[in-house]
Amino acid sequence: MSDITRFTSNRSSLSFSFEYTIRYYLQRLHLRAQLAFISLQAMPRYPLRFNQVPPLFCEPYILRGFRSIHQPWSYYFKSLFHKHNETMNVWSHLIGILYMIHLFFYYNTRLNFFENAHSWPFAVSLCTAIIMFICSAFAHLFHSKSENVHMTCFLIDYIGVSLHGFGSGFLHIYYSAPQWFYEKIEYQYVFVLLILGVLACFLNCFAQYYYHRPYPPIKRICQFFPCGVLWLYSIAPLCIRLYTSNIFSNPALICHLAQIILFLVGATFFGFDVPQRFCPGLLDFVGQGHHLFHVCVYLVSVCQMHGVYWDYEEFQSIIDQRSKPELIFCAGSMFSLIAWDFVIVCFFRRRIHKTYHLD
């Protein structure tokens, strides 16, 4: 009887302690968030409004926080630590770079990239994700220097978009596709993926060159359509897998479903200029659609890498029985896409320079 009393007493004290601890940590979290918000509001900010910069640098429903043009390169680098309407875009992808590099070394200890040929598609996809984040962070940090730099930066950004779509599909077909689908379409799938990657880069660069501000809706269609086709093709192995499986019984499948939903949510924010469409000027520094899209892309990459790794763990015996992928095929396909994208960017950069007489 005394043991039961003691147990009841201990359980009630443990419950109280647990509730107190949770309440304490929630209070601390709230305080830190409040301090971070206050610090963000107090950060030095760039005060230029949309009517004080050339139209090329303006975005719909964004009214404040623009940086001056034709400043030294150091001005734009230092803006990394100040508040402007691109700060979130830059930092979300700088964090992505660091996390993908961390994952590269983390998964190397488990997959042994340098000796395990079956891990090479994983290494290639991590490299394409890192390049995508680098291109995006670079573009959003430095594009305000001049009209010429602005156009060039976002042409480079499209290289990252093209590579990320290719790397995602390469990852999905090798590790997450059902075996019958992999055997039926492996090399053809990668070849089509390569073509779609080149097409996405080309059409995005063409839209950047051909259309002028204020951009007509056809510009976004020209950019989003090839990217959407590339994305749909890259997730085709995941869709087949999700359709034929019990999703909530497997953490890898939950990650795959999450990355699809997150990408659709982010693309909706970006494509329809929400939520800033409903409150122009209120979300200039934090919370505009482009910011939310960047955060979603980062979370998509995180879900993708962890989900695919869990697939590899589950199907390792099947994957190891396949013919080993050749390094020239894995790395060569990535470098060939980079080469084609680089040629496209150089071509359109020259056309832009001649057409707009940019310095």
Side-chain angles (χ1 to χ4, degrees):
M1 190 68 179
S2 62
D3 290 341
I4 295 175
T5 304
R6 190 182 304 112
F7 173 76
T8 306
S9 174
N10 289 340
R11 186 177 64 176
S12 62
S13 65
L14 285 172
S15 175
F16 173 80
S17 175
F18 177 75
E19 291 174 3
Y20 174 78
T21 302
I22 290 295
R23 190 182 307 113
Y24 172 72
Y25 279 114
L26 286 176
Q27 289 173 347
R28 286 187 61 187
L29 183 62
H30 175 263
L31 181 61
R32 288 183 178 180
Q34 190 177 35
L35 290 173
F37 180 78
I38 293 172
S39 298
L40 180 64
Q41 297 305 315
M43 278 181 72
R45 67 182 179 90
Y46 291 81
L48 295 187
R49 294 179 60 85
F50 70 98
N51 56 355
Q52 296 175 294
V53 295
L56 181 64
F57 300 96
C58 298
E59 293 294 336
Y61 314 107
I62 305 301
L63 308 183
R64 302 171 298 153
F66 293 92
R67 293 168 289 177
S68 300
I69 64 172
H70 303 306
Q71 300 297 314
W73 287 103
S74 59
Y75 169 88
Y76 303 97
F77 179 77
K78 290 175 183 177
S79 73
L80 180 63
F81 307 102
H82 292 167
K83 185 173 65 174
H84 50 86
N85 55 34
E86 293 282 21
T87 303
M88 284 289 295
N89 286 332
V90 177
W91 274 104
S92 59
H93 280 187
L94 283 178
I95 293 171
I97 296 168
L98 296 175
Y99 191 71
M100 289 300 121
I101 291 174
H102 159 72
L103 287 185
F104 188 93
F105 290 102
Y106 175 81
Y107 284 128
N108 180 49
T109 61
R110 286 155 176 76
L111 301 177
N112 194 2
F113 292 147
F114 298 99
E115 296 181 10
N116 178 12
H118 291 292
S119 71
W120 289 342
F122 202 104
V124 165
S125 187
L126 279 167
C127 289
T128 59
I130 292 169
I131 294 171
M132 181 270 293
F133 284 127
I134 290 173
C135 290
S136 180
F138 173 84
H140 286 282
L141 182 61
F142 292 109
H143 76 89
S144 295
K145 180 170 175 58
S146 68
E147 289 87 345
N148 187 28
V149 172
H150 176 93
M151 302 290 271
T152 302
C153 279
F154 286 109
L155 294 181
I156 293 172
D157 193 22
Y158 301 141
I159 295 178
V161 172
S162 169
L163 278 170
H164 187 250
F166 171 80
S168 296
F170 199 26
L171 195 66
H172 297 155
I173 189 63
Y174 198 78
Y175 300 106
S176 300
Q179 180 65 12
W180 64 266
F181 186 74
Y182 172 81
E183 292 175 348
K184 188 174 183 179
I185 202 172
E186 176 196 3
Y187 289 105
Q188 300 93 316
Y189 179 89
V190 175
F191 178 74
V192 173
L193 201 63
L194 191 64
I195 297 299
L196 291 176
V198 172
L199 185 63
C201 182
F202 177 86
L203 287 177
N204 273 271
C205 290
F206 170 79
Q208 185 77 0
Y209 156 72
Y210 188 77
Y211 297 104
H212 311 152
R213 292 201 187 265
Y215 294 133
I218 188 65
K219 178 180 185 283
R220 287 201 168 181
I221 295 173
C222 189
Q223 291 181 307
F224 287 4
F225 179 75
C227 292
V229 172
L230 175 60
W231 176 71
L232 288 172
Y233 190 73
S234 72
I235 65 167
L238 299 185
C239 293
I240 294 171
R241 177 97 177 282
L242 290 169
Y243 181 75
T244 58
S245 306
N246 181 6
I247 296 173
F248 298 102
S249 64
N250 188 325
L253 294 178
I254 294 174
C255 279
H256 296 328
L257 180 62
Q259 70 154 301
I260 293 172
I261 293 172
L262 284 166
F263 186 86
L264 289 172
V265 169
T268 301
F269 283 133
F270 180 38
F272 294 97
D273 295 317
V274 292
Q276 70 268 23
R277 173 185 294 272
F278 306 108
C279 47
L282 186 62
L283 303 170
D284 292 344
F285 298 104
V286 179
Q288 58 179 270
H290 206 136
H291 297 166
L292 299 176
F293 175 66
H294 273 221
V295 172
C296 285
V297 168
Y298 168 74
L299 294 175
V300 164
S301 299
V302 172
C303 291
Q304 180 185 68
M305 296 304 169
H306 290 306
V308 169
Y309 175 72
W310 287 332
D311 281 338
Y312 183 51
E313 281 191 324
E314 181 179 355
F315 302 117
Q316 186 171 1
S317 58
I318 297 174
I319 293 171
D320 288 347
Q321 290 175 5
R322 298 173 182 169
S323 58
K324 293 183 177 180
E326 298 177 1
L327 183 60
I328 188 66
F329 173 72
C330 295
S333 57
M334 179 182 72
F335 285 118
S336 64
L337 179 57
I338 292 173
W340 278 107
D341 287 349
F342 183 75
V343 169
I344 291 169
V345 166
C346 288
F347 171 78
F348 279 105
R349 186 182 182 279
R350 181 172 295 181
R351 297 284 297 179
I352 288 170
H353 187 80
K354 288 182 178 179
T355 303
Y356 299 102
H357 307 289
L358 299 177
D359 295 328

